[in-house]
Amino acid sequence: MQIKRQTVKSILEDDRTEYTTTVKGWVRTFRNNQFIALNDGSTVQPLQVVVDATKFGENTLKKITPGAAIGATGQIVPSAGRGQRVELIAEHLTIYGASDPSTYPLQPKRHSLEFLRSIAHLRIKTNTFGCVFRLRHAIAFGIHKFFNERGFFYMHTPIITGSDAEGAGEMFRVSTLSPSSPPKTASGEIDWSKDFFGKQTNLTVSGQLEAELGAMGLDRVYTFGPTFRAENSNTTRHLAEFWMIEPEIAFADIQDDMDLAEDLLKFILRYVLDNNKEDLMFLQNRLIQAEKSLPQHQRSEMELIEKLEFVLAEPFERITYTEAFNILRNSKPNKKKKFKYVLDQWGADLQSEHERYLVEKHFKRPVIITDYPASIKAFYMYLNDDGKTVRGMDILFPQLGEIVGGSERETRMDVLLKRMEEYNIPPEELHWYLDIRKYGSCPHAGFGLGFERLVQFITGMSNIRDVIPFPRYPGYAEF
RNA sequence: GCCUCCUUAGCUCAGUUGGUUAGAGCGCCGGACUGUUAAUCCGUAGGUCCAAGGUUCAAGUCCUUGAGGGGGCGCCA
């Protein structure tokens, strides 16, 4: 008789016992020739499958090894041992796929994250990465839920772009021309008009400009898609391929923009605390274990869940660049020249050491900095009446630095054209972007949220390469 | 791109001022085990000490170059 398969999660959440069911998953350990810890990905918790060795042949028992894919049918009963509430007494066992223990790289022990990164195709089977990727899903789902509940429309902006004026970084070229013998023009240069799209194209670095077009008709939209930066960035918080959320709201100013961003971040924290407590608990314990070997002053001040609840409960600090600059200029590390970059001139960009001082030492909470000097921000940000600051805002988080960057957009055609000229962006490149200032322009604002950085913050994973299944970064594009 | 640290068994690591045959835990392999929780117990095997060159009577250990990895910085999300 075929019995419908249940997930481990649904069995563990069910109060009933004394019923027959089927589970399928992967063996984590097989203890005492008797107890299988079975994980099926539905939860970090394993289901204990109890095997009576006398009922099954040696041929079957020998294949129950770490990593093997098996199915088990039997009674769910209250566990006779400690450590789990219920267990399954196996009546039938099916070996779907054996796993050669002499070569299987995952042992029932702690592996380094660096080693697991080198076997990214298998690390998904571990508890740590199971938790990370379940949380990654929950965060993505929560983001869609948040925007849907607020009447936003999910907008798909192009991944291949013919515009090279997005201004957010170095781009990857997309081309079907032969790299060794591309067609040439009469003057000997590569003839891009012969390329697939009839022009030079790249992978997008941002969907913002197209999202602005969307907001001018749909009122409130958001993008959630992959973005690509060909920057040679070697840090724990940069990827060459990452996912970004970019809402854009019409009839809104920078205050509305900040409110939206803070609401979104808090909604997501609430959502994962409500729905992924077990995964968070596991990652929290993992961090506590990892920090035991560190000296006291290097350990986290708060545990993972405590940190998430703290950020959820407290309002983000909102200050202008000028206020931040003054705090930093008068700060101890600045006066004692402990900063690598000592601040003295208004207009200087804040370095990560400054951002971390504000967030981790001075305010001890997320900080939103607004009204940056125009010279260090993008051309599309609304120029304030002072003529030297723009209505941009960055949200800074502990450890990560900038997690959100946004602004109220420049809507005045003359000002926008002047700013583009300063940035050497030819107006004809962005004629469509300028058109929305010509036809029914209105105040609007938006921001970009780095998805992986949010996943990093919530999971506590220190390296961004460990919160995306198959990371891409300079020199690395495996799997 | 810059700075810095690291690379020893399948994994995680130890290896003293350069000195005999390079060690441990886990894993693997063989055996025991019907209430285990990274199970436990007994036994065996397992090494191009990242690579090349150099210094030295002698190099895992010192020097040079290269490769790979970690962390920090810059760029940003």
Side-chain angles (χ1 to χ4, degrees):
Chain A
M1 181 184 70
Q2 187 70 33
I3 295 169
K4 196 168 182 286
R5 176 194 178 193
Q6 263 188 289
T7 63
V8 169
K9 184 180 165 76
S10 70
I11 291 168
L12 296 180
E13 284 174 353
D14 195 332
D15 290 334
R16 295 178 305 137
T17 57
E18 316 296 342
Y19 62 96
T20 296
T21 191
T22 295
V23 289
K24 296 175 185 180
W26 295 271
V27 174
R28 284 292 162 76
T29 63
F30 185 29
R31 288 185 290 268
N32 210 12
N33 216 14
Q34 191 184 5
F35 302 104
I36 300 169
L38 190 76
N39 182 287
D40 69 355
S42 61
T43 165
V44 68
Q45 303 296 338
L47 179 70
Q48 176 152 288
V49 175
V50 184
V51 175
D52 182 343
T54 62
K55 281 173 70 177
F56 300 95
E58 192 173 337
N59 209 21
T60 299
L61 293 174
K62 279 189 98 164
K63 285 180 181 156
I64 303 172
T65 62
I70 68 163
T73 300
Q75 276 262 308
I76 296 292
V77 300
S79 178
R82 293 157 193 259
Q84 56 281 315
R85 191 178 59 82
V86 295
E87 60 194 15
L88 185 145
I89 309 297
E91 285 148 31
H92 301 283
L93 284 175
T94 308
I95 310 291
Y96 287 99
S99 172
D100 180 356
S102 66
T103 56
Y104 186 57
L106 297 173
Q107 303 167 20
K109 60 168 274 191
R110 178 171 299 276
H111 291 288
S112 68
L113 294 173
E114 291 79 23
F115 170 69
L116 292 172
R117 203 174 300 146
S118 74
I119 50 165
H121 57 309
L122 299 174
R123 68 177 179 173
I124 302 165
K125 295 170 175 289
T126 64
N127 284 334
T128 295
F129 284 94
C131 290
V132 168
F133 295 136
R134 272 187 297 274
L135 277 161
R136 187 182 163 103
H137 160 80
I139 295 163
F141 188 80
I143 286 166
H144 285 298
K145 184 171 154 67
F146 172 87
F147 284 121
N148 187 54
E149 286 175 3
R150 278 161 183 73
F152 282 70
F153 298 103
Y154 178 26
M155 178 171 173
H156 293 117
T157 51
I159 288 168
I160 299 172
T161 171
S163 155
D164 62 358
E166 292 170 10
E170 288 297 310
M171 301 175 113
F172 289 102
R173 171 161 293 142
V174 175
S175 174
T176 55
L177 296 182
S178 160
S180 52
S181 55
K184 299 279 178 66
T185 61
S187 57
E189 288 169 345
I190 295 174
D191 185 359
W192 295 107
S193 72
K194 298 265 167 53
D195 205 348
F196 187 89
F197 295 106
K199 63 191 287 196
Q200 284 195 53
T201 50
N202 300 290
L203 293 178
T204 183
V205 294
S206 163
Q208 180 200 311
L209 301 188
E210 288 91 348
E212 285 189 48
L213 311 182
M216 291 299 103
L218 294 167
D219 189 77
R220 42 190 62 203
V221 299
Y222 69 105
T223 73
F224 188 166
T227 46
F228 308 87
R229 306 264 168 102
E231 303 283 352
N232 191 12
S233 296
N234 294 289
T235 80
T236 54
R237 46 186 197 283
H238 288 85
L239 291 167
E241 176 180 298
F242 66 100
W243 290 65
M244 191 154 60
I245 298 99
E246 294 175 293
E248 193 71 31
I249 39 179
F251 304 101
D253 61 17
I254 190 172
Q255 298 298 327
D256 300 317
D257 202 33
M258 286 190 280
D259 291 345
L260 179 69
E262 187 167 344
D263 284 354
L264 170 64
L265 289 166
K266 290 184 169 174
F267 181 93
I268 298 305
L269 295 181
R270 178 82 274 148
Y271 187 79
V272 295
L273 285 166
D274 287 345
N275 292 282
N276 293 73
K277 205 57 172 278
E278 283 185 340
D279 293 324
L280 291 170
M281 287 292 293
F282 182 89
L283 292 172
Q284 170 167 290
N285 289 331
R286 193 193 147 273
L287 285 171
I288 291 168
Q289 290 301 319
E291 287 191 353
K292 273 186 179 167
S293 59
L294 294 177
Q296 192 72 44
H297 69 278
Q298 284 180 25
R299 297 183 196 171
S300 313
E301 285 179 31
M302 286 184 218
E303 291 181 356
L304 182 64
I305 291 171
E306 189 186 4
K307 181 186 78 177
L308 301 182
E309 279 169 348
F310 176 82
V311 169
L312 182 57
E314 298 290 325
F316 294 3
E317 191 71 34
R318 298 185 183 192
I319 58 170
T320 65
Y321 165 88
T322 303
E323 288 165 336
F325 176 80
N326 287 329
I327 291 168
L328 288 163
R329 193 177 50 183
N330 295 320
S331 69
K332 258 191 199 169
N334 201 57
K335 285 181 168 171
K336 293 188 173 173
K337 302 199 190 304
K338 289 277 167 62
F339 283 143
K340 192 176 164 199
Y341 298 88
V342 173
L343 281 178
D344 57 350
Q345 279 292 318
W346 186 94
D349 206 352
L350 304 182
Q351 307 297 319
S352 12
E353 59 183 347
H354 306 132
E355 297 179 347
R356 293 189 67 158
Y357 176 84
L358 287 170
V359 172
E360 293 167 22
K361 295 280 188 306
H362 191 82
F363 290 114
K364 293 181 187 288
R365 69 186 57 190
V367 176
I368 310 182
I369 300 181
T370 61
D371 301 287
Y372 280 89
S375 57
I376 59 171
K377 287 293 179 186
F379 73 92
Y380 49 72
M381 296 189 184
Y382 191 98
L383 189 67
N384 280 316
D385 292 343
D386 63 14
K388 57 179 189 174
T389 61
V390 290
R391 293 183 190 165
M393 65 104 176
D394 284 357
I395 302 186
L396 310 179
F397 264 37
Q399 251 110 47
L400 301 172
E402 188 178 346
I403 194 168
V404 165
S407 65
E408 181 177 332
R409 315 307 189 188
E410 185 56 75
T411 48
R412 297 160 298 184
M413 185 68 99
D414 53 334
V415 181
L416 185 56
L417 283 169
K418 192 158 170 290
R419 291 277 286 159
M420 285 171 65
E421 196 184 331
E422 286 167 21
Y423 282 78
N424 294 318
I425 300 167
E428 53 277 15
E429 277 280 339
L430 292 180
H431 64 91
W432 42 272
Y433 187 70
L434 294 169
D435 263 6
I436 59 171
R437 274 76 184 171
K438 264 165 78 179
Y439 307 118
S441 183
C442 73
H444 61 287
F447 62 83
L449 165 64
F451 182 59
E452 281 77 15
R453 288 193 183 170
L454 180 58
V455 179
Q456 252 189 299
F457 181 74
I458 288 171
T459 58
M461 299 298 281
S462 54
N463 194 317
I464 200 167
R465 296 167 186 178
D466 294 329
V467 298
I468 188 167
F470 304 105
R472 271 86 182 89
Y473 47 91
Y476 191 86
E478 295 303 306
F479 307 105

